[in-house]
Amino acid sequence: MSKKPVRVAVTGAAGQIGYALLFRIASGEMLGKDQPVILQLLEIPDEKAQKALKGVMMELDDCAFPLLAGMEAHSDPMTAFKDTDYALLVGSRPRGPGMERAELLAVNGAIFTAQGKALDKVASRNVKVLVVGNPANTNAYIAMKSAPSLPRENFTAMLRLDHNRALSQVAAKAKVAVADIEKLTVWGNHSPTMYADYRFATVGGKAVKDLINDQAWNADVFLPTVGKRGAAIIEARGLSSAASAANAAIDHMRDWALGTNGKWVTMGVPSNGDYGIPKDVMFGFPVTTANGKYEIVKGLEIDAFSQDRINKTLKELQDEQAGVAHLV
Ligand SMILES: NC(=O)c1ccc[n+]([C@@H]2O[C@H](COP(=O)([O-])OP(=O)(O)OC[C@H]3O[C@@H](n4cnc5c(N)ncnc54)[C@H](O)[C@@H]3O)[C@@H](O)[C@H]2O)c1
Ligand SMILES: O=C(O)C[C@H](O)C(=O)O
């Protein structure tokens, strides 16, 4: 018997990430090749944006995706999020050259108050929310705080692009295949302060840090490359990353919904006090997932170098949180 369709809301659906994301959701890459979906697409109430959204929907129609069970255009989060099972909050302004992501809080923060409130009122009580719009961690924190009747663990921020970037850099340096690397993670904020950590990573049972054996590369090449990759892409493309961001969003939601079979991935999730990160800080952690739930990997040793990096990214997140106190 075929499965009942699930509802997937996507905001910023006519934007560049939206264009790289929707077709993959509709083809079953996110929730499985046997899971029909109804897309509930939100754009701003602006004639040009709504017209562009209609164009994207015409293209979705033209793909004749067997799993696309329905599709709706919205300009109000209260209707877009009605009964939704998944919500990918992408819609918000991207940064331009020379900006830091945190500078976007002033223009984007309020979007997530309104959307958190709408999710609180109308979404499924089990909704899984992924915030992609920058600065993603603090926007996810705002949305979570604006939705007090939903479980806090339903709100997550996207660190998966940093995780995937780190995987590629480590694979190239260690001359191993990306697919063979396990137990890599990224701690903290989706910003240049994030701490990509391969101390626990293995390839076929061998420690990646022994294969690399180069702490200067870690501190002076690897961490700045991963941390500043978003800016490097903006510099090269003139636009912020879109296909790789959409790919990371698919990876994040797929793993959350379908499980990782014990493998580590990175998700930005509200802390429960783990690793000394205060409760509710939306922080990148290593997690495993099963049965639609994630669990933070516990008991990892944090050495002095790592603690220093974790403290820096935590401080930045706490400063961002203090800056949005008026929004939550
Ligand atoms: N977390 C990550 O790893 C990551 C990666 C890449 C990009 N991003 C962020 O994702 C966001 C979107 O990037 P993009 O390249 O698609 O931008 P874009 O400008 O191409 O598209 C954004 C879309 O969102 C819409 N929008 C704006 N406010 C909205 C609202 N309140 N409700 C619904 N829709 C709204 C706009 O009309 C636009 O169509 C940016 O904030 C960007 O910085 C995050
Ligand atoms: O860097 C940006 O502003 C876009 C995105 O967050 C990225 O990391 O590519």
Side-chain angles (χ1 to χ4, degrees), residues 95 101 134 161 165 190 230-231 234 240-241:
R95 64 174 166 157
R101 297 182 190 95
N134 275 319
L161 183 52
R165 287 168 174 166
H190 173 60
I234 291 170
S240 73
S241 63

Side-chain angles (χ1 to χ4, degrees), residues 12 15-17 43-44 90-93 115 132 134 158 190 241 245:
Q16 29 150 28
I17 296 176
E43 259 298 341
I44 50 173
V90 179
S92 52
R93 223 175 83 190
Q115 294 187 355
V132 174
N134 275 319
M158 194 161 93
H190 173 60
S241 63

Side-chain angles (χ1 to χ4, degrees), residues 206-221:
K206 289 201 194 92
V208 164
K209 72 175 182 343
D210 295 342
L211 292 176
I212 292 180
N213 192 23
D214 188 347
Q215 178 56 18
W217 178 79
N218 182 27
D220 302 336
V221 180

Side-chain angles (χ1 to χ4, degrees), residues 7-321:
R7 297 181 172 275
V8 181
V10 180
T11 75
Q16 29 150 28
I17 296 176
Y19 196 69
L21 184 61
L22 297 176
F23 299 85
R24 296 185 61 187
I25 299 174
S27 73
E29 285 183 57
M30 187 169 90
L31 296 173
K33 295 284 180 187
D34 60 347
Q35 178 58 68
V37 294
I38 298 170
L39 291 176
Q40 305 188 163
L41 307 174
L42 180 67
E43 259 298 341
I44 50 173
D46 162 89
E47 203 181 319
K48 210 169 141 211
Q50 289 293 326
K51 192 172 168 203
L53 177 55
K54 291 279 150 44
V56 176
M57 292 169 76
M58 286 160 68
E59 286 204 71
L60 281 160
D61 261 337
D62 294 350
C63 294
F65 287 120
L67 291 171
L68 187 55
M71 186 167 39
E72 304 160 4
H74 295 274
S75 58
D76 179 350
M78 287 293 284
T79 55
F81 295 156
K82 181 90 183 91
D83 297 329
T84 199
D85 301 292
Y86 298 88
L88 291 89
L89 308 188
V90 179
S92 52
R93 223 175 83 190
R95 64 174 166 157
M99 286 173 79
E100 281 304 338
R101 297 182 190 95
E103 291 173 47
L104 292 171
L105 263 186
V107 282
N108 288 342
I111 295 174
F112 295 87
T113 313
Q115 294 187 355
K117 285 184 178 162
L119 285 164
D120 197 49
K121 290 211 169 63
V122 301
S124 155
R125 300 299 85 185
N126 297 319
V127 64
K128 288 180 164 54
V129 182
L130 168 63
V131 175
V132 174
N134 275 319
N137 298 53
T138 299
N139 288 337
Y141 169 81
I142 296 171
M144 174 185 79
K145 287 290 179 187
S146 305
S149 76
L150 291 171
R152 39 196 283 291
E153 61 271 18
N154 294 18
F155 288 83
T156 66
M158 194 161 93
L159 266 292
R160 187 60 175 261
L161 183 52
D162 309 279
H163 179 101
N164 289 346
R165 287 168 174 166
L167 274 178
S168 282
Q169 297 297 323
V170 164
K173 175 73 177 172
K175 299 190 176 56
V176 297
V178 164
D180 294 338
I181 301 174
E182 295 194 29
K183 297 189 173 174
L184 178 135
T185 195
V186 181
W187 305 88
N189 199 6
H190 173 60
S191 90
T193 66
M194 59 90 236
Y195 174 41
D197 184 358
Y198 59 79
R199 289 176 305 136
F200 310 104
T202 57
V203 172
K206 289 201 194 92
V208 164
K209 72 175 182 343
D210 295 342
L211 292 176
I212 292 180
N213 192 23
D214 188 347
Q215 178 56 18
W217 178 79
N218 182 27
D220 302 336
V221 180
F222 173 65
L223 291 172
T225 300
V226 179
K228 295 184 190 151
R229 188 68 162 186
I233 287 166
I234 291 170
E235 178 61 28
R237 240 170 63 83
L239 286 169
S240 73
S241 63
S244 56
N247 180 67
I250 296 271
D251 284 350
H252 178 117
M253 281 306 211
R254 184 201 57 229
D255 286 346
W256 192 1
L258 304 180
T260 61
N261 291 321
K263 290 199 170 169
W264 296 15
V265 290
T266 303
M267 289 171 69
V269 303
S271 176
N272 292 312
D274 315 82
Y275 295 100
I277 308 304
K279 184 157 185 272
D280 284 353
V281 174
M282 198 60 72
F283 205 81
F285 285 109
V287 301
T288 56
T289 67
N291 305 316
K293 296 202 181 316
Y294 56 79
E295 208 167 306
I296 294 172
V297 177
K298 307 263 193 273
L300 300 173
E301 197 197 316
I302 306 296
D303 61 18
F305 177 84
S306 306
Q307 191 63 58
D308 183 51
R309 300 291 309 213
I310 287 174
N311 292 348
K312 281 203 180 88
T313 195
L314 171 62
K315 161 100 177 49
E316 182 181 53
L317 277 170
Q318 289 181 307
D319 289 348
E320 287 182 24
Q321 265 186 33

